[in-house]
């Protein structure tokens, strides 16, 4: 970021305006990360969230993939990366008994359940308004429509769930054949717990409160969806924590102590991620401002490219760059900002923004340097290359083809 700032003063005709634009993006992203991360602090002490997490990881084989995929998807909307911290250890705890009596069975179950978590969690960023992707892409691609983007991403994510389930069935059949050949077939599953409806209702009330307060702010102030969520998050978190202490006589005092602890400990602990995110956004904005967009477009021969070719190329470039350890935040910011500087572009801004979001999503299952792989690797001890390349390589290729088909169809209809 310092180097980018120095270059702005050396090579830009309007360095102060460029730096101000970069700082605007940086502070927006830092505030997004810090404010929405507060929801995680309410969730980590919530008995309802813990009950839901345990239920998801204890499903019988026929239901387990969908349960963990959908659970990682839903919990990720509120907990963000905290969903990985919650469900990852629960999965490993659930297979611990198998690891002691049937290590090979445990390895197959760990692979299938971790893959379901990785896939379900990763695909929230294709559409969820609580994901940083939606906040960033909509801000760097001028003229894009966030609600349309979210709709396309949500539709694609439904197909991704089916693709993941089918791949899990194939993996399960291969696992059973391998275990049968070695006389290590799993024991019959024990009776499972009933669905925790009360926990589900309480968690649903938290989601409804977050959506309700956000809608009030949108209608009252004209704010956009993501800033409204950012403002609603601290309020919902504070009330959520206060309700968790309802059985104590000193409910309000205990809640205030907990909130104070979050302000003194949890928020500063999350600042490295916020600074990294904001710095990447700043570098992307400044680097794009220093680049000659028409010249780059001419060198790449973009005028001869059809729009769908550009969209598909973007979806490929983001995960490839991530495999080279280049953060998708920087790549997406740079490419989105370049588009805004191109004169008379024939690209549809909403489809371009969607392609950027989809590329970022694919990076999470395709790259060992993706945030999902890095966090789960630290929590579980499974290497990032195993989580991404070995367990999810074929899945990522299949989801790219599905996303490309949907985006191509929409582009054809729009044209």
């Amino acid at each position: 970021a310092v180097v980018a700032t120095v270059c702005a003063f050396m090579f830009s005709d309007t360095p102060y305006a460029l730096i101000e634009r970069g700082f605007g993006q940086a502070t927006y992203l830092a505030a997004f990360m810090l404010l929405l991360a507060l929801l995680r602090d309410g969730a980590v002490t919530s008995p309802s969230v813990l009950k839901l997490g345990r239920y998801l990881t204890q499903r019988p084989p026929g239901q387990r993939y969908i349960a963990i995929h959908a659970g990682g998807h839903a919990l990720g909307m509120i907990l963000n990366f905290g969903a990985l911290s919650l469900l990852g250890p629960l999965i490993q705890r659930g297979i611990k008994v198998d690891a002691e009596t049937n290590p090979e069975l445990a390895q197959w179950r760990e692979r299938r359940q971790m893959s379901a978590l990785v896939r379900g969690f990763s695909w929230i960023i294709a559409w969820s308004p609580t994901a940083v992707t939606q906040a960033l892409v909509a801000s760097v691609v001028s003229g894009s429509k966030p609600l349309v983007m979210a709709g396309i991403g949500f539709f694609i994510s439904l197909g991704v769930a089916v693709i993941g389930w089918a791949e899990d069935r194939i993996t399960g059949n291969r696992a059973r054949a391998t275990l049968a050949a070695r006389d290590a077939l799993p024991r019959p599953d024990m009776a499972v717990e009933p669905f925790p409806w009360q926990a589900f209702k309480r968690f649903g009330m938290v989601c409804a409160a977050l959506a309700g307060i956000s809608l009030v702010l949108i209608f009252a102030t004209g704010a956009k969806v993501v800033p409204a969520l950012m403002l609603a998050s601290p309020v919902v978190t504070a009330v959520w924590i206060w309700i968790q202490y309802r059985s104590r006589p000193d409910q309000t005092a205990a809640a205030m102590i907990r909130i104070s602890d979050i302000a003194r400990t949890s928020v500063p602990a999350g600042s490295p991620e916020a600074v990294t995110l904001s710095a990447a956004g700043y570098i992307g904005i400044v680097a794009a401002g220093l680049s000659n967009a028409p010249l780059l477009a001419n060198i790449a021969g973009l005028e001869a490219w059809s729009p769908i070719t550009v969209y598909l190329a973007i979806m490929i470039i983001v995960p490839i760059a991530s495999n080279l350890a280049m953060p998708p935040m920087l790549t997406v910011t740079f490419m989105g900002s370049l588009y805004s500087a191109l004169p008379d572009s024939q690209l549809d801004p909403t489809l371009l923004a969607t392609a950027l979001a989809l590329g970022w999503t694919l990076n999470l299952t395709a790259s060992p340097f993706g945030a999902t792989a890095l966090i789960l690797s630290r929590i579980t001890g499974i290497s990032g290359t195993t989580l991404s390349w070995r367990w999810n390589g074929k899945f990522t290729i299949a989801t790219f083809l599905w996303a490309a088909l949907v985006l191509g169809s929409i582009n054809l209809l729009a044209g």
Side-chain angles (χ1 to χ4, degrees), residues 120-373:
F121 173 81
S122 297
W123 274 86
I124 62 169
I125 74 169
W127 70 273
S128 174
T130 62
V132 68
T133 315
Q134 303 299 314
L136 173 75
V137 173
S139 67
V140 297
V141 181
S142 55
S144 60
K145 300 175 181 178
L147 290 179
V148 177
M149 282 174 51
I152 297 172
F154 181 73
F155 177 76
I156 293 175
S157 70
L158 293 177
V160 167
V162 176
I163 292 170
W165 177 84
E167 194 277 342
D168 179 72
R169 294 288 88 201
I170 295 171
T171 301
N173 291 335
R174 191 164 78 249
R176 279 187 287 275
T178 302
L179 293 170
R182 301 183 185 181
D183 196 24
L185 281 172
R187 70 190 191 285
D189 284 296
M190 304 298 289
V192 295
E193 297 180 4
F195 185 77
W197 284 108
Q198 288 300 321
F200 178 75
K201 289 176 183 177
R202 293 190 187 102
F203 183 71
M205 290 175 65
V206 173
C207 298
L210 186 66
I213 295 175
S214 299
L215 287 173
V216 169
L217 289 170
I218 290 170
F219 288 121
T221 67
K224 294 183 179 179
V225 173
V226 176
L229 283 169
M230 291 163 62
L231 293 172
S233 176
V235 178
V236 172
T237 302
V239 175
W240 195 3
I241 290 173
W242 181 77
I243 291 174
Q244 290 177 23
Y245 289 99
R246 61 188 178 280
S247 61
R248 296 180 52 163
D250 59 340
Q251 179 184 22
T252 302
M256 291 302 296
I257 292 173
R258 171 81 174 110
I259 292 170
S260 175
D261 182 63
I262 291 172
R264 292 197 312 267
T265 306
S266 181
V267 172
S271 60
E273 288 81 2
V275 170
T276 303
L277 190 68
S278 62
Y282 175 84
I283 295 168
I285 291 288
V286 175
L290 293 173
S291 302
N292 187 328
L295 178 62
L296 288 176
N298 185 54
I299 292 173
L302 285 182
E303 291 183 0
W305 291 29
S306 65
I308 187 59
T309 304
V310 175
Y311 304 147
L312 297 184
I314 286 172
M315 289 169 56
I316 295 173
I317 289 171
V318 176
I320 287 178
S322 179
N323 272 277
L324 299 174
M326 184 177 294
M329 167 65 66
L330 196 158
T331 310
V332 168
T333 304
F334 179 75
M335 290 195 294
S337 300
L338 275 182
Y339 159 77
S340 298
L342 282 174
D344 303 323
S345 174
Q346 300 301 310
L347 301 177
D348 181 281
T350 299
L351 292 183
L352 174 66
T354 302
L356 289 167
L358 291 173
W360 195 332
T361 305
L362 290 166
N363 132 83
L364 293 181
T365 57
S367 169
F369 297 107
T372 303

Side-chain angles (χ1 to χ4, degrees), residues 1-178:
V2 171
V3 170
T5 304
V6 172
C7 289
F9 281 109
M10 292 177 63
F11 304 114
S12 175
D13 295 331
T14 56
Y16 291 105
L18 179 58
I19 290 170
E20 181 183 6
R21 196 160 70 248
F23 268 117
Q25 183 72 2
T27 52
Y28 174 64
L29 293 171
F32 174 89
M33 178 63 77
L34 291 173
L35 290 175
L36 285 183
L38 293 174
L39 292 168
R40 180 179 57 199
D41 292 292
V44 293
T45 54
S46 169
S48 298
V49 171
L50 184 59
K51 287 179 182 177
L52 285 170
R54 285 176 176 167
Y55 176 84
L56 293 174
T57 58
Q58 293 175 359
R59 295 299 81 213
Q63 305 172 14
R64 192 177 293 140
Y65 181 88
I66 294 298
I68 295 177
H69 182 107
H73 206 77
L75 291 176
M77 291 172 57
I78 297 293
L79 308 186
N80 209 296
F81 291 111
L84 299 176
S85 302
L86 171 69
L87 294 178
L90 283 177
I91 288 173
Q92 289 193 316
R93 191 184 308 168
I95 64 173
K96 188 175 181 180
V97 174
D98 293 320
E100 296 172 354
T101 59
N102 193 337
E104 192 168 2
L105 169 63
Q107 291 174 4
W108 281 107
R109 284 191 168 173
E110 183 177 53
R111 171 177 179 167
R112 295 175 67 186
Q113 293 182 49
M114 285 297 178
S115 294
L117 175 59
V118 167
R119 298 165 187 179
F121 173 81
S122 297
W123 274 86
I124 62 169
I125 74 169
W127 70 273
S128 174
T130 62
V132 68
T133 315
Q134 303 299 314
L136 173 75
V137 173
S139 67
V140 297
V141 181
S142 55
S144 60
K145 300 175 181 178
L147 290 179
V148 177
M149 282 174 51
I152 297 172
F154 181 73
F155 177 76
I156 293 175
S157 70
L158 293 177
V160 167
V162 176
I163 292 170
W165 177 84
E167 194 277 342
D168 179 72
R169 294 288 88 201
I170 295 171
T171 301
N173 291 335
R174 191 164 78 249
R176 279 187 287 275
T178 302

